[in-house]
Amino acid sequence: KRREEEENQRVAKEGEARKTEEEEGERSAAEAEEDKRREEEEKQRLAAEELARNIQDEEDDRQRSAAEAEEAKRREEEEEQRLAAEEDARKKEDEERSRSATESEEA
């Protein structure tokens, strides 16, 4: 009878040990799955950040190019105005010389 009880206890302990081992295996698998999920989320987050940075960089480049084009246009217009003013001044000088010469001839 005692041997039978000891055998029953041994079998119960083995069963309990197997059950604990299975639970630990399931817990370990669940933890590994959770780690994998977190890792994937982190990859996606980093990829989204990189994409956002690239989009912002492209927008910054576009704005910089537009500002540079605007500045070049402004400088070109200033140069055209300067040249037109010089041309006007030359014409006035020529007209003044011509008038002086005409007045000299008349006198």
Side-chain angles (χ1 to χ4, degrees):
K1 188 175 185 181
R2 203 180 60 150
R3 280 191 197 132
E4 198 175 300
E5 281 181 22
E6 286 175 355
E7 180 64 20
N8 286 341
Q9 285 178 350
R10 187 184 64 74
V11 168
K13 281 183 182 178
E14 286 177 1
E16 198 56 41
R18 264 196 310 279
K19 184 177 177 187
T20 301
E21 200 175 289
E22 287 173 3
E23 289 172 350
E24 286 176 0
E26 289 172 2
R27 199 170 24 253
S28 196
E31 288 171 357
E33 191 63 34
E34 180 64 15
D35 288 347
K36 187 176 178 181
R37 186 189 62 75
R38 279 194 201 111
E39 192 176 299
E40 187 59 34
E41 284 179 354
E42 181 67 5
K43 277 185 194 174
Q44 290 177 356
R45 185 185 67 76
L46 292 173
E49 286 177 0
E50 178 70 16
L51 179 61
R53 269 193 306 275
N54 289 344
I55 290 170
Q56 186 61 52
D57 288 349
E58 287 174 5
E59 178 63 17
D60 292 348
D61 289 346
R62 189 190 64 72
Q63 288 179 358
R64 189 172 22 261
S65 293
E68 288 171 357
E70 192 64 33
E71 177 62 18
K73 182 178 176 184
R74 186 189 62 74
R75 279 193 301 255
E76 187 177 317
E77 288 172 354
E78 285 178 354
E79 180 65 9
E80 287 174 1
Q81 288 175 355
R82 185 185 67 77
L83 291 173
E86 286 178 2
E87 183 64 24
D88 284 349
R90 267 196 301 276
K91 284 181 181 176
K92 285 180 183 174
E93 283 179 21
D94 290 348
E95 288 173 3
E96 187 60 36
R97 269 192 236 113
S98 178
R99 191 170 36 253
S100 290
T102 304
E103 288 174 359
S104 293
E105 287 175 9
E106 290 175 356

